[in-house]
C-alpha cells in the first residue's frame, strides 16, 4: 500500500522509502558523533543531512539512552526552542520532526515553530496529556511501541502478538480522535531483548496488518553493538545491513544518524526491486 503524510498541506509520498536524519541537541546521546552544540554546528549538520538526501530532520533534546536520566521539561524546551529558531531561520522548507514524549513540549514546538511531525518514543504512555494534545495538533504522529525505557528488560507472554495488539489498540485510539496521519515504529530497543529485536526485525512484514506506514530506527543500536562487542562508532556497516533488511520487511522510513549511507541503501533497495 502506498502511504503519504500531510506535511503542512503538502503530501510527502512514502511509495519510495524516506530517510529521517537524527539531530541531537543533547550532551549525552548514546552516539557521541550525533550531538551538536551551538548554532554553527547545528546549521552545518542540518545542511549536510539535507544535502545528502534526508527527507526529514528529527530533532531531539532529551536523551532516552539506556540508564540515562531525562532532563527537566523546561530544559528540554529551552534546548528545542533555541534549535528550532535556527532551523526555522536557515531551513524554512525542511520537514522537521520533534522527538519528545512530553505533551507540553510537543504543543509548544508545534505551535511556535515549523514542526511537521511529533515523534514520541513512549507511545503516549509517559505523559497522560500526549494523546489529547496530538489530537488537537492534528499533525503526523510517530507511534512507538515502548514497553519500557531503552535497555529495560520486559517480560512478555507472547512477544510479537503483544506488540502488534498494543500498537493496534493505540492506533484505534488515535484514529477515533481524528488523528489521520500515524506512523508506526515497532520500538527497537525499548523494552526488548536483543533476541526479541531480531525476532521482530525478521518478522517485520507482519506490521503491514496495522495498515499504517512503518518507521524503523536501528541506527547503531545495542542489538548490534552488544551482540558483536563493538562500540556505536563502529556500527555503521552493521546498521546499513540491517536497514536493508528493514526495507525488505516493508519499512517506509529509516531513522538514522548517517544519512548518505541510508540513502544509498534505499537506492540499492530500489535497484533490487527494479525501481530507478
Amino acid at each position: 500500500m502506498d502511504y503519504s503524510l500531510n506535511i503542512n498541506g503538502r503530501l510527502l509520498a512514502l511509495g519510495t522509502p524516506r530517510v529521517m536524519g537524527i539531530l541531537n541537541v543533547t550532551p549525552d546521546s548514546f552516539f557521541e558523533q550525533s550531538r551538536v552544540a551551538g548554532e554553527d554546528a547545528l546549521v552545518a549538520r542540518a545542511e549536510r543531512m539535507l544535502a545528502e538526501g534526508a527527507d526529514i530532520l528529527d530533532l531531539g533534546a532529551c536523551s532516552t539512552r539506556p540508564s540515562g536520566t531525562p532532563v527537566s521539561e523546561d530544559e528540554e524546551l529551552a534546548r528545542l526552542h533555541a534549535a528550532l529558531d535556527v532551523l526555522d531561520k536557515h531551513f524554512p522548507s525542511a520537514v522537521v520532526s520533534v522527538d519528545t514524549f512530553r505533551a507540553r513540549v510537543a504543543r509548544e514546538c508545534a505551535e511556535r515553530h515549523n514542526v511537521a511531525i511529533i515523534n514520541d518514543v513512549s507511545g503516549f504512555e509517559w505523559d497522560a496529556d500526549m494523546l489529547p494534545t496530538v489530537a488537537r495538533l492534528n499533525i503526523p504522529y510517530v507511534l512507538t511501541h515502548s514497553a519500557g525505557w531503552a535497555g529495560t528488560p520486559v517480560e512478555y507472554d507472547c512477544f510479537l502478538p503483544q506488540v502488534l495488539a498494543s500498537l493496534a489498540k493505540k492506533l484505534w485510539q488515535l484514529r477515533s480522535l481524528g488523528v489521520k496521519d500515524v506512523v508506526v515504529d515497532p520500538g527497537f530497543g525499548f523494552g526488548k531483548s536483543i533476541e526479541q529485536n531480531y525476532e521482530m526485525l525478521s518478522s517485520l512484514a507482519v506490521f503491514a496488518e496495522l495498515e499504517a506506514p512503518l518507521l524503523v530506527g536501528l541506527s547503531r543500536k545495542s542489538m548490534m553493538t552488544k551482540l558483536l562487542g563493538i562500540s556505536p562508532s563502529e556500527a555503521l556497516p552493521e546498521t546499513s545491513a540491517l536497514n536493508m533488511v528493514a526495507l525488505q520487511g516493508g519499512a517506509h522510513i529509516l531513522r538514522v544518524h548517517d544519512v548518505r549511507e541510508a540513502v544509498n541503501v534505499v537506492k540499492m533497495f530500489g535497484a533490487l526491486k527494479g525501481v530507478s
Side-chain angles (χ1 to χ4, degrees), residues 73-104:
E73 187 174 86
D74 287 343
E75 176 63 21
E76 183 183 6
L77 264 172
R79 292 175 178 178
L80 284 170
H81 283 317
L84 287 166
D85 282 341
V86 172
L87 296 181
D88 289 346
K89 175 183 176 182
H90 291 275
F91 309 102
S93 62
V95 179
V96 177
S97 167
V98 165
D99 178 1
T100 185
F101 56 85
R102 291 169 167 144
R104 177 187 162 211

Side-chain angles (χ1 to χ4, degrees), residues 187-246:
F188 286 91
F190 287 91
K192 301 169 185 75
S193 68
I194 291 175
E195 294 76 15
Q196 286 164 343
N197 282 317
Y198 282 99
E199 177 186 349
M200 193 162 66
L201 182 58
S202 68
S203 305
L204 204 59
V206 303
F207 287 87
E209 296 175 10
L210 298 173
E211 297 185 350
L214 186 65
L215 181 151
V216 172
L218 300 164
S219 188
R220 300 178 181 269
K221 284 191 172 179
S222 63
M223 63 185 288
M224 290 168 273
T225 60
K226 288 185 177 179
L227 179 71
L228 302 174
I230 59 177
S231 68
S233 64
E234 298 172 296
L236 177 54
E238 292 77 9
T239 295
S240 294
L242 293 194
N243 277 338
M244 179 61 82
V245 176

Side-chain angles (χ1 to χ4, degrees), residues 37 39 60 93 101 120 135 149 155 162 166 175 183 206 252 263 276:
E39 180 172 347
S93 62
F101 56 85
D120 173 14
W149 198 258
E155 293 292 330
Q162 282 182 252
S166 174
R175 288 169 175 164
V183 178
V206 303
H252 298 90
V263 168
S276 58

Side-chain angles (χ1 to χ4, degrees), residues 35-56:
R35 307 169 194 167
V36 291
E39 180 172 347
D40 290 346
L42 179 59
V43 170
R45 180 67 61 82
E47 189 171 53
R48 175 181 171 186
M49 285 185 165
L50 292 170
E52 290 178 343
D55 301 291
I56 305 165

Side-chain angles (χ1 to χ4, degrees), residues 105-151:
V105 174
R107 183 179 64 253
E108 287 198 20
C109 289
E111 291 175 349
R112 288 179 49 177
H113 300 282
N114 180 33
V115 170
I117 301 169
I118 299 300
N119 180 14
D120 173 14
V121 298
S122 80
F124 58 84
E125 285 284 348
W126 302 346
D127 187 331
D129 290 332
M130 182 61 95
L131 179 57
T133 295
V134 169
R136 286 195 299 271
L137 292 173
N138 199 26
I139 62 176
Y141 174 75
V142 179
L143 169 67
T144 306
H145 178 270
S146 180
W149 198 258

